[in-house]
């Protein structure tokens, strides 16, 4: 190479760490990186592929999606504090979803009279200079640092990724001013085998014995989970445990498919305000991989219930207010912990099989009654499309090579119930609370798993938060087609529900004024068509819905994205 700079070493480090893609939104602080990338390309030197993203939310969501389905962190490059701030909701999602990703931001030059290469030469370099750029994201990152020299940049990159990939996983942030990234240095070599993540931990032997003892003594045990499904092996172990002892499972605001919906031990889902009788009546609850296993104001176990809590982050250090009463808390990997519990259970020779058979029948009956009730809701009406019917139609499109991304919010529970997810990896959500993850995530997942069909199920508000103009430009440019189905109820239903929950007879309820309508409604599907040539349709009649969805799926499988805007009853038409 003509010059070996800090930027050269930085890009080499990304490649050494297995980073395949850089999701980039470049600025005036990145000349050194742009030059190094161009020279790598000119010389045919291996480097991560650059995916240009016209919005930072899309860039980080794409990296999030890629890492979520592969476990391999990717890189996001943004410019100074403005680009860092535009990451906003996406970095929240990566933090709360425990997804590893490396974010690099440039920084304003620290010289202004051409003392060094990269010195300030544009107006914006003064305007974008702030006192604590790293502080913008410090509440959401596991690690942040500044690159000051190229002599140890590889160590910083590999240390950052080591931290990102160690449980609890999460985003890391590096920044580097122009002068540092332009610095010419001697080629840097590093032994990457010495920078692996911390090995996952299991339960202490005494903890295994305590859990199994109390579990076998329980008459009405229950398991609650939200993200065991991050690991296919953990799902298999959970099924094995529950099938062996006839333990019912509830998924609380699931981020993944955690337990097959068609397994008779699956007993439903929890969402805001839901009351689940199995939780209320349980005498033993094992919470494994769940940040919010229940909402105490509406539903929780009895005070005499024995609770155990297993998670890679059992104290939730990033949540200022969080607590549940539990007999013991364990910091452990779900797969290892469940393997340990299964081994202990299967070493016991005198299990009460008659009692287990009786409980199995009771739980199976509950499961069957619940599914019968759900099935009734899928019956189509002559004049309107309901969320239940819509989800049942989407279910017809799903096969073993389909990944469904759910960001339905007020229809989150409906999607879980009626999609009937039964395969690990089939259902994915962001794990966070900032809407708009779905579009960029679909791009990232298609890059990671191009053989898969990706279907996004989103609300109309969520769709707009995803920056669809940017998403579909990227999807078109990089050949990552996916299907988006919009559950369009004409506005933000969630704030309305929240207001009614606190003020059921207040002024807003009396006047039906919630200030959440999207009227006049934009032609949402046409946004994707204009930006990325997507197939665009709007559907109002139940009789036409399945045909349009099937047509859209065929378009996606042919290599072109599609958006189907499904008109549901307007959220403001009636009080809830």
């Amino acid at each position: 190479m003509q010059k070996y700079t800090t930027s050269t070493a930085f890009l080499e480090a990304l490649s050494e760490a297995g980073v395949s893609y850089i999701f980039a939104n470049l600025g005036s602080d990145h000349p050194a990186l742009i030059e190094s990338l161009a020279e790598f390309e000119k010389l045919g030197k291996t480097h991560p592929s650059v995916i240009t993203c016209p919005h930072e939310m899309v860039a980080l969501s794409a990296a999030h999606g890629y890492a979520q389905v592969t476990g391999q962190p990717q890189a996001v490059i943004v410019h100074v504090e403005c680009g860092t701030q535009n990451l906003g909701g996406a970095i929240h999602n990566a933090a709360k979803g425990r997804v590893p990703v490396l974010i690099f931001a440039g920084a304003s030059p620290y010289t202004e009279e051409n003392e060094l290469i990269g010195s300030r030469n544009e107006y914006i370099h003064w305007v974008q200079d702030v006192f604590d750029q790293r502080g913008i994201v410090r509440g959401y990152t596991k690690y942040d640092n500044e690159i000051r020299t190229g002599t140890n940049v590889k160590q910083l990159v590999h240390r950052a990724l080591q931290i990102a990939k160690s449980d609890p996983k999460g985003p890391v942030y590096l920044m580097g001013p122009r002068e540092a990234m332009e610095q010419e240095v001697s080629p840097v070599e590093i032994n990457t085998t010495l920078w692996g993540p911390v090995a996952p931990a299991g339960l202490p032997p005494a903890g295994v014995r305590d859990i199994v003892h109390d579990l076998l003594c329980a008459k009405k045990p229950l398991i609650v989970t939200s993200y065991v499904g991050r690991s296919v092996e953990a799902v298999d172990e959970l099924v094995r445990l529950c099938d062996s002892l006839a333990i019912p499972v509830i998924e609380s605001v699931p981020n993944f498919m955690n337990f097959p919906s068609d397994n008779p031990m699956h007993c439903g889902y929890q969402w805001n305000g839901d009351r689940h009788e199995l939780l209320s009546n349980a005498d033993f609850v094992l919470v494994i991989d769940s940040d919010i296993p229940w909402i105490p104001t509406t539903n929780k176990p009895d005070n005499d219930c024995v609770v155990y809590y297993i998670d890679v982050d059992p104290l939730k250090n990033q949540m200022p207010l969080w607590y549940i009463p539990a007999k013991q808390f364990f910091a452990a990997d779900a797969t290892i912990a469940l393997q340990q519990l299964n081994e202990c259970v299967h070493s016991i020779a005198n299990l009460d099989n008659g009692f287990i058979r009786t409980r199995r029948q009771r739980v199976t009956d509950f499961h069957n009654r619940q599914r019968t009730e759900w099935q009734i809701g899928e019956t189509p009406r002559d004049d309107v499309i309901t969320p239940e019917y819509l989800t049942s139609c989407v279910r017809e499109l799903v096969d073993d090579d389909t990944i469904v991304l759910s960001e339905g919010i007020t229809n989150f529970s409906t999607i879980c119930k009626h999609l009937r997810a039964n395969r690990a990896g089939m259902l994915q959500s962001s794990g966070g609370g900032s809407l708009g993850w779905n579009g960029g995530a679909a791009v990232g997942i298609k890059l990671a798993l191009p053989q898969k069909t990706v279907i996004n199920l989103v609300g109309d508000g969520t769709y707009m938060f995803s920056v669809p103009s940017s998403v579909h430009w990227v999807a078109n440019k990089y050949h990552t087609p996916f299907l988006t189905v919009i559950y369009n109820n004409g506005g933000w239903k969630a704030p309305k529900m929240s207001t009614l929950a606190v003020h059921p007879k207040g002024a807003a309820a009396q006047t039906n004024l919630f200030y959440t309508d999207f009227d006049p409604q934009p032609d949402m599907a046409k946004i994707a068509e204009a930006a990325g040539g997507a197939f665009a349709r709007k559907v109002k009649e139940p009789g036409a819905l399945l045909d349009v969805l099937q047509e859209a799926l065929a378009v996606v499988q042919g290599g072109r994205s599609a958006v189907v805007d499904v008109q549901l009853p307007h959220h403001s038409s009636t009080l809830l």
Side-chain angles (χ1 to χ4, degrees):
M1 300 187 71
Q2 289 182 339
K3 286 203 311 181
Y4 190 97
T5 65
T6 302
S7 294
T8 309
F10 176 80
L11 294 172
E12 284 183 349
L14 294 181
S15 293
E16 292 165 359
V19 172
S20 300
Y21 292 98
I22 294 171
F23 299 93
N25 190 294
L26 299 167
S28 64
D29 41 326
H30 297 128
L33 279 172
I34 293 171
E35 186 67 15
S36 291
L37 283 165
E39 192 167 0
F40 273 49
E41 193 71 27
K42 178 182 175 181
L43 298 175
K45 184 175 172 65
T46 300
H47 65 88
S49 298
V50 177
I51 305 297
T52 300
C53 297
H55 197 283
E56 292 85 351
M57 176 73 179
V58 178
L60 183 47
S61 295
H64 181 150
Y66 191 106
Q68 188 159 310
V69 297
T70 65
Q72 185 62 41
Q74 302 302 294
V76 174
I77 294 181
V78 299
H79 57 290
V80 292
E81 34 75 73
C82 293
T84 299
Q85 291 184 88
N86 252 12
L87 292 171
I91 198 167
H92 159 96
N93 289 335
K96 301 304 180 182
R98 299 185 181 88
V99 174
V101 60
L102 185 145
I103 301 161
F104 172 81
S108 288
Y110 53 77
T111 61
E112 63 175 74
E113 297 186 35
N114 210 30
E115 299 95 331
L116 296 170
I117 297 175
S119 188
R120 294 185 184 188
N121 61 354
E122 299 178 38
Y123 156 83
I124 204 69
H125 294 153
W126 282 266
V127 176
Q128 292 177 335
D129 190 11
V130 297
F131 286 109
D132 189 11
Q133 180 175 312
R134 288 151 57 188
I136 297 170
V137 295
R138 192 165 292 128
Y140 302 92
T141 56
K142 292 188 66 184
Y143 171 80
D144 66 84
N145 206 344
E146 179 179 340
I147 296 170
R148 297 180 175 90
T149 173
T151 58
N152 70 347
V153 66
K154 285 194 175 183
Q155 288 90 334
L156 293 185
V157 169
H158 286 288
R159 169 169 164 74
L161 287 169
Q162 180 183 44
I163 293 171
K165 293 189 290 184
S166 298
D167 283 325
K169 300 177 176 68
V172 292
Y173 182 87
L174 294 174
M175 58 177 274
R178 294 209 313 183
E179 295 93 334
M181 300 308 292
E182 293 279 4
Q183 180 190 9
E184 191 167 357
V185 295
S186 299
V188 178
E189 294 185 6
I190 188 170
N191 184 353
T192 60
T193 62
L194 304 179
W195 297 84
V198 174
L203 298 170
V208 175
R209 292 192 296 270
D210 289 344
I211 294 172
V212 171
H213 173 270
D214 287 348
L215 175 58
L216 295 179
C217 290
K219 295 180 179 179
K220 296 180 179 180
L222 177 67
I223 291 177
V224 180
T225 186
S226 300
Y227 43 85
V228 155
R230 289 185 296 190
S231 163
V232 173
E233 293 81 6
V235 173
D236 292 341
E237 293 293 337
L238 181 59
V239 171
R240 180 185 172 201
L241 179 64
C242 294
D243 283 348
S244 297
L245 299 180
I247 308 170
V249 174
I250 297 173
E251 296 186 66
S252 182
V253 196
N255 303 350
F256 299 87
M257 196 300 298
N258 301 296
F259 196 85
S261 179
D262 53 4
N263 186 300
M265 295 300 102
H266 192 292
C267 290
Y269 307 89
Q270 287 192 137
W271 182 243
N272 293 343
D274 294 343
R275 184 184 183 281
H276 201 295
E277 64 179 89
L278 295 189
L279 180 62
S280 301
N281 297 330
D283 57 0
F284 172 99
V285 177
L286 173 61
V287 180
I288 183 163
D289 278 8
S290 178
D291 287 341
I292 317 297
W294 50 77
I295 307 292
T297 55
T298 56
N299 191 31
K300 62 180 181 179
D302 186 81
N303 290 336
D304 295 329
C305 179
V306 175
V307 177
Y308 285 92
Y309 192 92
I310 302 173
D311 195 275
V312 293
D313 179 23
L315 295 180
K316 315 299 174 196
N317 290 321
Q318 290 288 71
M319 294 185 183
L321 177 62
W322 185 94
Y323 55 84
I324 63 171
K327 184 174 180 179
Q328 288 191 71
F329 294 85
F330 297 101
D333 174 81
T335 302
I336 297 174
L338 287 165
Q339 288 171 344
Q340 292 174 290
L341 295 174
N342 276 316
E343 289 170 5
C344 184
V345 167
H346 287 279
S347 69
I348 299 173
N350 58 343
L351 290 176
D352 188 342
N353 292 316
F355 182 76
I356 292 173
R357 281 195 300 270
T358 300
R359 183 164 66 210
R360 188 183 311 280
Q361 187 59 55
R362 174 169 54 84
V363 175
T364 300
D365 290 345
F366 180 95
H367 169 93
N368 292 335
R369 288 195 307 272
Q370 191 178 62
R371 268 55 184 180
T372 299
E373 293 172 2
W374 293 354
Q375 182 72 33
I376 294 171
E378 295 179 1
T379 303
R381 301 178 190 173
D382 294 334
D383 54 343
V384 297
I385 299 173
T386 64
E388 294 81 4
Y389 176 62
L390 169 54
T391 310
S392 71
C393 289
V394 170
R395 190 173 68 230
E396 297 295 317
L397 312 181
V398 175
D399 61 18
D400 288 346
D401 288 321
T402 303
I403 296 176
V404 179
L405 310 188
S406 175
E407 215 174 8
I409 313 309
T410 54
N411 285 309
F412 190 97
S413 184
T414 297
I415 290 170
C416 288
K417 291 176 181 177
H418 298 278
L419 190 64
R420 301 182 191 174
N422 60 4
R423 175 176 43 82
M426 171 182 170
L427 183 64
Q428 308 270 337
S429 295
S430 74
S434 185
L435 307 186
W437 162 86
N438 65 90
V443 169
I445 290 172
K446 280 295 289 184
L447 287 171
L449 305 171
Q451 75 280 11
K452 296 291 187 180
T453 299
V454 177
I455 300 177
N456 284 357
L457 306 183
V458 303
D460 45 338
T462 306
Y463 174 76
M464 290 200 286
F465 278 132
S466 72
V467 199
S469 57
S470 178
V471 163
H472 285 279
W473 180 86
V474 175
N476 184 48
K477 179 176 175 65
Y478 297 103
H479 312 294
T480 56
F482 58 93
L483 170 61
T484 298
V485 180
I486 303 174
Y487 286 59
N488 191 342
N489 59 20
W492 287 312
K493 187 177 178 181
K496 176 181 179 178
M497 295 176 68
S498 296
T499 302
L500 289 172
V502 179
H503 303 287
K505 298 181 180 179
Q510 294 171 23
T511 60
N512 202 22
L513 289 175
F514 296 90
Y515 309 97
T516 55
D517 295 348
F518 291 162
D519 299 323
Q521 292 192 35
D523 195 333
M524 297 193 180
K526 290 290 186 180
I527 298 172
E529 181 182 57
F535 171 94
R537 290 290 186 276
K538 183 181 292 186
V539 187
K540 297 181 180 180
E541 298 79 22
L545 178 58
L546 185 56
D547 288 342
V548 173
L549 289 174
Q550 289 174 335
E551 182 183 3
L553 180 65
V555 168
V556 170
Q557 292 175 336
R560 177 184 170 205
S561 289
V563 178
V564 179
D565 183 357
V566 183
Q567 302 290 296
L568 304 178
H570 199 289
H571 83 282
S572 66
S573 60
T574 58
L575 290 176
L576 303 177

